[in-house]
Amino acid sequence: MLYSEIVMDHFRNPRNVGEIENPDGVGEVGNAKCGDIMKIYLRIEDDVIIDVRFKTFGCASAIASSSMATEMIKGKSVQEAAELTNKAVAQALDGLPPVKMHCSVLAEEAITKALNDYLGKKGRPLLPERNQNQLAHDHGNR
């Protein structure tokens, strides 16, 4: 399986690895078929993500997707982060093999769950959560 140089860089040198103590939002997702587990931690001030960390148990694509997704939402508003799609993550990685697209879906799902954790604590309306099958279908990445 061939990976882009960007995927390999984010796999070998992942950005934003770790946990945030007392995070403002946490989202954890997993894929029963492949065993990947992804957990995203958010620190948010004035509705802006000032820090984001992740812990991922999975393949190179899962780790690279987590790393890239955290880079893409750091410094963004909650609303901007909510608009991140798995397709955008995959494109930023210069593509993922079709059988690995689910890894970028996990990143989108984990971020949405973490944002919803934050919004729920604030008593604000939650973002719609789509499952992996909906995301894969919506983006034609099955």
Side-chain angles (χ1 to χ4, degrees):
M1 186 172 315
L2 292 176
Y3 291 110
S4 72
E5 285 298 317
I6 298 171
V7 169
M8 292 309 296
D9 181 45
H10 277 267
F11 169 63
R12 290 184 182 123
N13 306 293
R15 285 66 155 177
N16 308 308
V17 175
E19 297 178 42
I20 294 176
E21 196 171 314
N22 301 312
D24 296 303
V26 178
E28 183 172 5
V29 295
N31 182 311
K33 289 181 183 176
C34 68
D36 292 341
I37 299 170
M38 191 176 293
K39 194 167 189 177
I40 302 276
Y41 302 83
L42 301 175
R43 171 78 62 230
I44 301 172
E45 286 182 10
D46 299 322
D47 245 23
V48 174
I49 298 168
I50 61 165
D51 196 12
V52 56
R53 301 282 169 190
F54 78 91
K55 291 181 84 175
T56 294
F57 176 83
C59 64
S61 294
I63 292 167
S65 292
S66 302
S67 175
M68 179 59 79
T70 59
E71 286 288 279
M72 293 174 78
I73 66 168
K74 189 183 262 185
K76 303 286 187 198
S77 70
V78 168
Q79 183 58 46
E80 289 170 317
E83 295 169 6
L84 181 72
T85 65
N86 76 298
K87 190 173 182 179
V89 173
Q91 287 174 341
L93 288 168
D94 200 20
L96 288 171
V99 297
K100 294 296 184 177
M101 281 302 293
H102 68 275
C103 296
S104 63
V105 171
L106 283 175
E108 180 180 338
E109 286 182 321
I111 288 168
T112 299
K113 284 187 179 280
L115 291 170
N116 277 341
D117 183 42
Y118 166 74
L119 293 169
K121 290 174 183 176
K122 297 288 185 185
R124 292 169 51 190
L126 301 183
L127 304 167
E129 290 186 22
R130 297 184 292 168
N131 65 39
Q132 291 174 30
N133 290 333
Q134 288 172 311
L135 288 168
H137 177 73
D138 289 350
H139 297 298
N141 299 325
R142 200 139 223 270

